[in-house]
Amino acid sequence: MDYGLACLVGRDEVLVPITVEEFVGLKSARSSLFEYLRIEEKYDVLIENYLEFETTVLDFAARSMVLGSGAWDYDSFQLARATLDRRVANLLSGCRIYEDHVKQHVHRACRTSSQTLESFFAEEYDRRFGYRCLEALRNHVQHSGLPVHGLTTNQGWTSLDETGMLRFGLTPYVEARFLRENPKFNKRVLR
């Protein structure tokens, strides 16, 4: 069997002969590129979920700025909390999808042991409280309860001189007492 790279030039097909080894190498490289493309797609899911969360918080803060205290009756707070529950749940799920899938894609692309990447994730988990906290919260959301237990709105001047600007914000929060109700929630993270 002959191996080659072919392309059309006008009506003519041009064939550049290659060796079997070159063909196998190109086939492997093509497969690896598709694996890396899949990683990029998962990363896009993760980033878009984060962007949706942030823009939702900004939207509610803008409503607070424009409508003032009239923007926040009981129903408005519950709608904001429920919307942020969905955004946080999506973000946490996107993080888990990325973590789980990237290990598989890198293993297939590099044809190396997946232990190296497993070790990297394990080291980061051990080093970073935020990672442990979000992983525990993701497990809670997946198996037990919702992530956003309340919201606070805030506003204030950045400074008291003429350059000061009025700042508005909205902060979703988690209450540890609700997490403690879940007997499977990571006790080390709770402490």
Side-chain angles (χ1 to χ4, degrees):
M1 174 183 267
D2 293 332
Y3 294 91
L5 299 175
C7 76
L8 289 175
V9 178
R11 291 183 173 186
D12 299 324
E13 183 178 283
V14 177
L15 182 68
V16 177
I18 60 172
T19 66
V20 174
E21 293 80 18
E22 289 172 320
F23 172 78
V24 170
L26 289 171
K27 186 177 175 184
S28 175
R30 180 178 183 266
S31 177
S32 293
L33 284 174
F34 280 115
E35 293 298 334
Y36 292 126
L37 177 62
R38 290 180 187 107
I39 292 171
E40 289 291 327
E41 290 170 341
K42 307 301 179 3
Y43 185 72
D44 186 56
V45 167
L46 175 60
I47 293 302
E48 288 298 321
N49 279 325
Y50 177 66
L51 187 58
E52 286 176 6
F53 167 74
E54 290 290 349
T55 55
T56 300
V57 170
L58 288 171
D59 180 55
F60 285 123
R63 289 176 184 275
S64 182
M65 177 183 73
V66 172
L67 300 174
S69 61
W72 296 111
D73 59 11
Y74 177 81
D75 291 335
S76 299
F77 259 112
Q78 294 311 314
L79 173 66
R81 191 188 53 73
T83 302
L84 289 167
D85 270 333
R86 288 193 311 274
R87 297 293 188 262
V88 173
N90 288 342
L91 177 57
L92 294 171
S93 294
C95 290
R96 184 55 183 243
I97 287 169
Y98 182 79
E99 180 181 341
D100 288 348
H101 291 198
V102 76
K103 295 171 189 174
Q104 298 171 44
H105 294 305
V106 169
H107 174 68
R108 287 192 297 260
C110 297
R111 310 281 190 258
T112 61
S113 168
S114 59
Q115 288 298 75
T116 305
L117 203 50
E118 286 283 345
S119 301
F120 170 77
F121 279 104
E123 287 173 23
E124 291 301 309
Y125 179 88
D126 291 340
R127 279 190 352 183
R128 301 183 188 282
F129 173 72
Y131 191 159
R132 293 189 304 277
C133 183
L134 289 178
E135 180 67 18
L137 187 59
R138 191 217 55 93
N139 287 336
H140 175 75
V141 170
Q142 185 74 30
H143 304 290
S144 187
L146 294 172
V148 179
H149 301 131
L151 305 169
T152 58
T153 60
N154 44 58
Q155 66 184 39
W157 290 96
T158 57
S159 70
L160 297 178
D161 61 23
E162 64 272 357
T163 63
M165 294 184 282
L166 191 53
R167 176 180 52 212
F168 289 85
L170 177 111
T171 306
Y173 61 89
V174 175
E175 286 195 45
R177 66 185 171 107
F178 292 121
L179 300 178
R180 280 190 198 97
E181 292 173 2
N182 175 0
K184 294 184 178 180
F185 197 90
N186 186 320
K187 304 298 183 237
R188 198 171 124 207
V189 169
L190 270 176
R191 280 191 302 275

